[in-house]
Amino acid sequence: MNVEIRITDKYKGKGLYAKKNISKGSVILEEDPLVSCQFSWNAAYQYKACDHCLRPLETAQENVTRLAGQFVELPYPECCTTDKSKIVSCPHCGVDYCSDKCQSEALDQYHKVLCLQTTERNCMHPLEKLNETWKQIHYPPETNSVMLIVRLLARILQAPDRSSAIQQTLGFCHRSVNEDADLAHKFLGEKFADQISLLHQMLVQAVPREGIEQFLTMEGFQSLLALIGTNGQGVGTSAISQWVKNVTELSMPEENRKKLDEFIESLYDQLDENSGSFLNNEGVALYTLQSACNHSCIPNAEPSFIHNNHRLSLIAVKDIEEGEEILISYLDECTLDRSRHSRQKELMKNYLFECRCPKCLDQADEPDVTSDEDEEMSEEASE
């Protein structure tokens, strides 16, 4: 492999390091997650994705028609990557998979425990009740799902070597009991923090207890909430984006290219008008190697989903030298452009650490105000 996990320093603990020189634009690593799942509201709004790998189950034509709210004929239909002939369903609970392979993997890893054993989805099963309760706490835009915890626990229950699966789960970043509780409350948000007890009770009712008792105590549940809150990686897939990628790579006369570009621009305007920014199948996953990546406000790598499923590709955004730490951003691009104080405030709130990257150290003498406060001060001074 091109990378290795090793202890870095007392502030960051472990980190991911390059074992050879890696050039900008290269794929540093690829990995499938321990578990992944689609966001609950995303699924409820008929964003059709494989229940295991999140690959789109709609054709690009079906995808764009749903998102636009009207029929829009796509040229070059051969550029769609969805193969509906391979879609299969669980014969017991009806969930859909993009292929026999995904159905088999899900069954082997966690689905035997979680299969509802009924095609009547009437919200009466404990798992359905847990999911519905979670949806009332996390409206779009979604950032995580309690169902990821459910799959993680089911994976342990189905593992051939349960103790090894438990250790793998415990290998993610763990903090003190008080820090886990603090993160869990912040993860749910101030408005819903008092519902941790309710979610805990519903989880205990929804999964078997034997062999995973340590995770089903209140402290264990708060630790799992903290785990997915700090290590969960967003996943996005899209039939239409894959179609756009493929058609733009076609060879064609310049006049045809211009017409195609105009069509795509107009298409995205239609989609934005009807569906806003919610265009993708979206979910969350836990990755062993990617989760070892520490944060920097000037990252040298970023996660990507070039296979249009939950398989993560870590891409170098700068040249990386052998022995150099591989760093990603835990913040979105908008937050990265804000003041040092704004960035530090966000990282401390959601991850409980103070960033010591070169950018933050260079800006250490800046006023301790957020970007919004800084803008207000500038406006007052100009007046």
Side-chain angles (χ1 to χ4, degrees):
M1 293 186 66
N2 298 334
V3 299
E4 63 180 354
I5 297 174
R6 64 177 194 240
I7 300 299
T8 172
D9 59 42
K10 66 179 181 179
Y11 298 109
K12 296 188 291 186
K14 62 185 179 181
L16 195 68
Y17 288 80
K19 293 174 65 176
K20 68 174 189 178
N21 291 338
I22 301 171
S23 59
K24 178 181 178 180
S26 297
V27 176
I28 301 170
L29 63 87
E30 291 191 327
E31 66 172 325
D32 290 328
L34 287 184
V35 285
S36 67
C37 69
Q38 188 177 6
F39 288 143
S40 299
W41 280 109
N42 193 260
Y45 283 125
Q46 299 301 305
Y47 287 76
K48 297 178 181 178
C50 175
D51 195 62
H52 180 64
C53 79
L54 301 184
R55 185 183 296 279
L57 298 182
E58 294 176 303
T59 64
Q61 181 67 72
E62 292 170 334
N63 189 208
V64 74
T65 295
R66 177 175 58 80
L67 293 172
Q70 60 183 346
F71 180 77
V72 179
E73 185 173 1
L74 293 181
Y76 309 104
E78 68 277 9
C79 289
C80 173
T81 60
T82 303
D83 186 350
K84 297 193 73 171
S85 68
K86 293 184 177 180
I87 296 175
V88 294
S89 302
C90 173
H92 303 294
C93 67
V95 296
D96 295 324
Y97 301 98
C98 67
S99 64
D100 288 330
K101 179 176 181 290
C102 271
Q103 183 181 23
S104 177
E105 288 182 357
L107 196 63
D108 289 343
Q109 293 176 19
Y110 56 83
H111 192 65
K112 288 178 185 176
V113 169
L114 301 182
C115 183
L116 302 188
Q117 297 296 326
T118 174
T119 55
E120 295 296 326
R121 311 300 287 268
N122 56 14
C123 297
M124 295 304 294
H125 191 282
L127 282 173
E128 296 277 19
K129 290 181 178 180
L130 174 62
N131 190 40
E132 287 301 314
T133 300
W134 178 260
K135 283 164 63 179
Q136 301 311 310
I137 294 175
H138 275 261
Y139 287 95
E142 299 170 273
T143 58
N144 225 302
S145 173
V146 73
M147 303 311 288
L148 191 65
I149 290 178
V150 171
R151 288 197 176 180
L152 186 62
L153 295 178
R155 180 182 178 275
I156 294 172
L157 289 168
Q158 283 193 210
D161 183 350
R162 189 173 291 177
S163 62
S164 177
I166 289 174
Q167 288 306 310
Q168 194 172 28
T169 302
L170 295 176
F172 286 93
C173 181
H174 273 261
R175 299 175 172 85
S176 70
V177 171
N178 289 337
E179 286 176 327
D180 278 343
D182 190 32
L183 283 170
H185 279 76
K186 288 176 180 175
F187 176 48
L188 291 186
E190 185 176 330
K191 183 178 177 182
F192 298 106
D194 61 348
Q195 296 199 33
I196 288 181
S197 178
L198 173 61
L199 286 171
H200 173 240
Q201 292 172 17
M202 299 185 77
L203 176 68
V204 171
Q205 294 170 7
V207 297
R209 294 182 60 89
E210 187 176 356
I212 55 171
E213 291 88 352
Q214 69 191 88
F215 297 111
L216 295 179
T217 64
M218 175 56 80
E219 289 182 357
F221 178 58
Q222 289 178 333
S223 178
L224 289 174
L225 284 174
L227 186 156
I228 67 169
T230 54
N231 293 280
Q233 168 65 49
V235 179
T237 67
S238 168
I240 185 60
S241 68
Q242 285 293 295
W243 176 86
V244 169
K245 175 180 178 294
N246 290 337
V247 295
T248 55
E249 292 174 354
L250 293 175
S251 296
M252 63 182 67
E254 188 60 34
E255 183 178 345
N256 290 8
R257 171 70 61 194
K258 182 179 179 182
K259 289 181 179 179
L260 177 63
D261 289 344
E262 290 173 350
F263 172 80
I264 292 173
E265 184 177 354
S266 174
L267 176 64
Y268 274 112
D269 285 341
Q270 282 184 269
L271 301 185
D272 181 67
E273 183 177 345
N274 190 64
S275 300
S277 59
F278 300 102
L279 302 182
N280 296 343
N281 304 318
E282 295 182 347
V284 63
L286 288 175
Y287 298 90
T288 303
L289 292 174
Q290 179 268 347
S291 68
C293 289
N294 286 309
H295 164 84
S296 173
C297 297
I298 43 174
N300 56 18
E302 66 179 8
S304 183
F305 296 92
I306 60 179
H307 300 288
N308 209 27
N309 60 12
H310 68 190
R311 184 168 180 79
L312 180 144
S313 303
L314 194 62
I315 311 295
V317 296
K318 299 178 180 179
D319 289 338
I320 300 173
E321 296 183 358
E322 180 181 351
E324 185 178 350
E325 186 175 6
I326 296 167
L327 300 161
I328 62 175
S329 173
Y330 296 176
L331 305 173
D332 59 38
E333 290 185 16
C334 181
T335 308
L336 276 179
D337 289 336
R338 304 187 76 193
S339 70
R340 173 184 179 274
H341 186 65
S342 292
R343 300 194 308 271
Q344 296 281 8
K345 184 178 179 181
E346 194 73 15
L347 291 167
M348 183 58 69
K349 180 177 73 173
N350 294 310
Y351 301 98
L352 300 186
F353 74 87
E354 178 183 353
C355 182
R356 297 169 179 265
C357 75
K359 181 177 180 179
C360 285
L361 292 177
D362 287 345
Q363 297 175 346
D365 294 333
E366 291 184 357
D368 283 343
V369 295
T370 65
S371 296
D372 292 338
E373 291 169 342
D374 200 16
E375 289 176 9
E376 290 176 5
M377 291 169 62
S378 297
E379 291 174 1
E380 290 174 1
S382 62
E383 291 174 358

